[in-house]
Amino acid sequence: EAGVTQFPSHSVIEKGQTVTLRCDPISGHDNLYWYRRVMGKEIKFLLHFVKESKQDESGMPNNRFLAERTGGTYSTLKVQPAELEDSGVYFCASSQVGLQYEQYFGPGTRLTVT
Amino acid sequence: AQSVTQPDIHITVSEGASLELRCNYSYGATPYLFWYVQSPGQGLQLLLKYFSGDTLVQGIKGFEAEFKRSQSSFNLRKPSVHWSDAAEYFCAVGALDYGQNFVFGPGTRLSVLP
């Protein structure tokens, strides 16, 4: 069974550009989470989808971040326009309904904004 | 607010030596406690978790952790470290009234000397 996959693994963009990160959860996992770790800091929760619905987006830093999960399968996280402080590693995780603490994490996307 | 501290940013041990990684949390009740490991290029992998019951928890890869309520600690231990244990280790807290999300510590990077 494939794990959580994320694309790209690395992205380097200039300030002001747009970047879209993709996460493919484990098949059958209705819960999908985004987290990020900015340099030297803790991993912080961004948002949580249940199927295609946003269950909790309290961790989204500002309106430059837009997350979608059309059809309840893969999810995208768009940053537009990117700022220097957006640099970090963005993790995606998924879990089955009712097993919210059994989250499986992807390898992360390292985003560098120059 | 919940918080998790990992006092050691970087630890170096010799292969075969014992290991203890410290984790302290701040929360009003008994939280759910977790240890994750991230090896280079990999996603976060769950090592072990504590929900209730026996305060000494066994995990994968020969790791164990002990919950000490009086010290608000959940330290991770391994009696004999292997070179493949070199990675970054994260302690995390989850709690019912915080929803389905984790609060992570800043991580401890483990280096293993041959």
Side-chain angles (χ1 to χ4, degrees):
Chain A
E1 178 184 284
V4 177
T5 57
Q6 293 186 246
F7 182 83
S9 56
H10 292 87
S11 180
V12 181
I13 61 172
E14 293 183 353
K15 176 182 172 181
Q17 289 185 321
T18 296
V19 63
T20 300
L21 313 181
R22 173 169 170 147
C23 169
D24 286 78
I26 292 173
S27 178
H29 283 194
D30 287 340
N31 287 317
L32 187 148
Y33 310 83
W34 283 98
Y35 298 83
R36 77 170 178 177
R37 187 186 190 197
V38 296
M39 196 62 64
K41 299 283 187 70
E42 298 84 355
I43 300 168
K44 286 193 179 292
F45 164 78
L46 295 179
L47 87 159
H48 168 213
F49 283 100
V50 178
K51 296 185 179 179
E52 66 274 11
S53 299
K54 292 176 185 175
Q55 180 79 7
D56 181 356
E57 52 184 331
S58 60
M60 293 287 265
N62 52 60
N63 59 9
R64 294 185 295 102
F65 289 76
L66 175 63
E68 295 181 321
R69 193 183 182 195
T70 307
T73 55
Y74 71 91
S75 174
T76 57
L77 180 65
K78 180 190 290 187
V79 185
Q80 179 182 28
E83 298 289 345
L84 298 178
E85 63 265 24
D86 301 331
S87 295
V89 180
Y90 290 76
F91 293 101
C92 175
S94 71
S95 73
Q96 293 178 304
V97 171
L99 297 177
Q100 58 263 36
Y101 289 126
E102 301 285 342
Q103 293 185 26
Y104 294 83
F105 283 79
T109 293
R110 180 173 296 279
L111 174 64
T112 301
V113 183
T114 63
Chain B
Q2 296 180 78
S3 67
V4 178
T5 56
Q6 295 179 246
D8 304 304
I9 296 173
H10 185 201
I11 285 181
T12 300
V13 300
S14 298
E15 190 169 20
S18 63
L19 172 70
E20 182 170 30
L21 302 182
R22 296 181 290 166
C23 171
N24 292 91
Y25 65 90
S26 173
Y27 184 63
T30 301
Y32 296 164
L33 297 161
F34 306 80
W35 274 99
Y36 281 87
V37 60
Q38 185 183 22
S39 299
Q42 305 295 314
L44 293 167
Q45 182 182 22
L46 179 66
L47 284 176
L48 48 78
K49 60 183 183 279
Y50 172 78
F51 285 3
S52 64
D54 192 345
T55 57
L56 185 62
V57 180
Q58 301 298 320
I60 62 170
K61 303 186 179 186
F63 285 92
E64 67 177 26
E66 186 172 13
F67 169 57
K68 292 186 177 180
R69 182 190 305 275
S70 62
Q71 299 176 20
S72 296
S73 69
F74 189 56
N75 294 347
L76 182 71
R77 300 194 295 251
K78 186 169 185 178
S80 178
V81 170
H82 188 262
W83 64 265
S84 60
D85 294 324
E88 192 158 19
Y89 292 78
F90 297 92
C91 182
V93 162
L96 290 175
D97 63 358
Y98 195 72
Q100 303 186 33
N101 313 304
F102 293 112
V103 175
F104 285 91
T108 296
R109 181 167 298 280
L110 174 67
S111 297
V112 180
L113 299 175

